[in-house]
Amino acid sequence: YSLILLQLTHLTNGFLSPNHPSWFHLELRDDSIQHQPTIEPRGIRLYSSKGPDDVERMLDSASKLRKEVEELEAKLERKEIPASEKSTTPAPIKSVCTALPNSQWTLTYRFASEPPIKDDNKNADEKPRQYYSGRATLLFKPDGYTDLVQHEPTGGETLEIEKFWGWDEEVSSEDGLAYMNWAANIRLPKSDPHNPSETMRFYLQARIDIDEKSKAISLSEGTVTVKKDIEPPGGFWGVFNGGGILAQFRYVGNFVAKPTQAS
């Protein structure tokens, strides 16, 4: 709320006469001031002891004053916020991995304990498959070992990661691309319909992609598999013979890997 007193001289024969002052009471009301000065005239009242000519001159002066007020308000709106008042919260830094040894990754996973029944085995009694999900942070050590840094399972029934085995890089003979492989011993809950309270070994694999410009490494198309014995002759991807026993890796889920620590 502002109070302004204006002294206007009386016109005598077209000239300003300082001997006949006229005082006017100009009242500017502003209810919008909050955090910074803002001038927004809501109303103007004039009180004069002179005649209509004086009031007309006062209105003209008030019009000029309003124009100055609007210009000042526009300047205040364009006024830049001081650096001291700006937010000092730094922008999040994206972790970039340029070397797998000693790198830390967070895996967001979802998988079941058993693969789906193949189309050629429709006579099998298929039980419902229970899926498990969560996040696991891993450290791939330079000596080839894998450390579990943190595990955050989600959902009702959760599993327990007992151990991660060593990690390794290899080039596929099928597509010539580089892949990363490692395994984990996982104890399933007693509610699992296929392997209640059992500890199973799950195999994880992801393709290694390297950006040509930044040399940043990403792990793509992460898959989770289990090893299942099969009867000969096999004829399926992932078949191998160990000690006379034919087995194959069967898909049970996937994961997404993101680097959580620059390396």
Side-chain angles (χ1 to χ4, degrees):
Y1 190 96
S2 303
L3 179 63
I4 300 175
L5 291 180
L6 299 178
Q7 180 182 357
L8 302 179
T9 56
H10 190 67
L11 284 172
T12 304
N13 297 327
F15 295 92
L16 293 176
S17 174
N19 298 323
H20 301 280
S22 297
W23 288 95
F24 291 82
H25 176 204
L26 175 62
E27 183 178 349
L28 302 180
R29 303 180 61 187
D30 184 8
D31 301 322
S32 65
I33 297 178
Q34 294 181 357
H35 300 293
Q36 63 179 16
T38 304
I39 301 176
E40 183 182 357
R42 298 296 179 87
I44 298 178
R45 296 187 214 170
L46 301 177
Y47 302 92
S48 172
S49 59
K50 298 298 180 181
D53 293 340
D54 298 309
V55 174
E56 184 177 353
R57 284 192 297 271
M58 184 57 199
L59 288 174
D60 182 62
S61 298
S63 177
K64 294 179 180 179
L65 178 60
R66 180 187 292 274
K67 184 178 180 180
E68 293 178 2
V69 167
E70 292 175 351
E71 291 177 355
L72 178 59
E73 185 179 17
K75 290 180 180 180
L76 289 174
E77 290 178 349
R78 295 193 302 266
K79 184 179 180 182
E80 185 178 356
I81 300 175
S84 59
E85 298 181 9
K86 293 182 179 180
S87 175
T88 57
T89 304
I93 300 175
K94 184 179 179 180
S95 298
V96 176
C97 174
T98 56
L100 287 175
N102 204 36
S103 64
Q104 185 170 295
W105 297 74
T106 294
L107 278 56
T108 303
Y109 63 81
R110 184 179 185 272
F111 61 88
S113 63
E114 286 289 323
I117 296 177
K118 295 189 297 183
D119 294 336
D120 57 357
N121 193 14
K122 296 181 180 180
N123 296 327
D125 183 17
E126 183 175 9
K127 298 179 182 179
R129 301 168 67 216
Q130 181 169 314
Y131 282 88
Y132 306 97
S133 59
R135 295 192 306 174
T137 301
L138 310 180
L139 174 64
F140 298 121
K141 302 176 68 176
D143 57 8
Y145 287 93
T146 306
D147 285 350
L148 175 63
V149 178
Q150 187 177 12
H151 180 218
E152 302 175 27
T154 60
E157 298 293 337
T158 59
L159 45 78
E160 177 187 356
I161 300 178
E162 296 181 346
K163 178 182 179 180
F164 272 102
W165 295 86
W167 63 277
D168 189 25
E169 297 180 59
E170 65 177 26
V171 177
S172 173
S173 58
E174 297 180 0
D175 55 17
L177 300 177
Y179 289 86
M180 185 173 181
N181 302 289
W182 68 102
N185 286 0
I186 298 177
R187 182 175 179 83
L188 302 172
K190 62 181 180 180
S191 61
D192 189 273
H194 295 274
N195 306 286
S197 301
E198 289 189 17
T199 297
M200 295 180 57
R201 182 168 298 182
F202 292 83
Y203 299 86
L204 296 88
Q205 182 183 76
R207 189 182 69 242
I208 302 173
D209 295 329
I210 302 177
D211 186 86
E212 294 183 358
K213 294 183 178 180
S214 64
K215 305 302 179 182
I217 297 175
S218 59
L219 299 179
S220 309
E221 298 183 4
T223 59
V224 182
T225 59
V226 292
K227 189 168 62 174
K228 289 293 182 180
D229 296 339
I230 60 173
E231 298 179 358
F236 205 91
W237 64 268
V239 176
F240 68 93
N241 189 334
I245 301 176
L246 291 175
Q248 65 181 189
F249 291 103
R250 297 288 307 278
Y251 172 88
V252 293
N254 52 32
F255 65 88
V256 176
K258 297 292 184 181
T260 55
Q261 180 177 295
S263 62

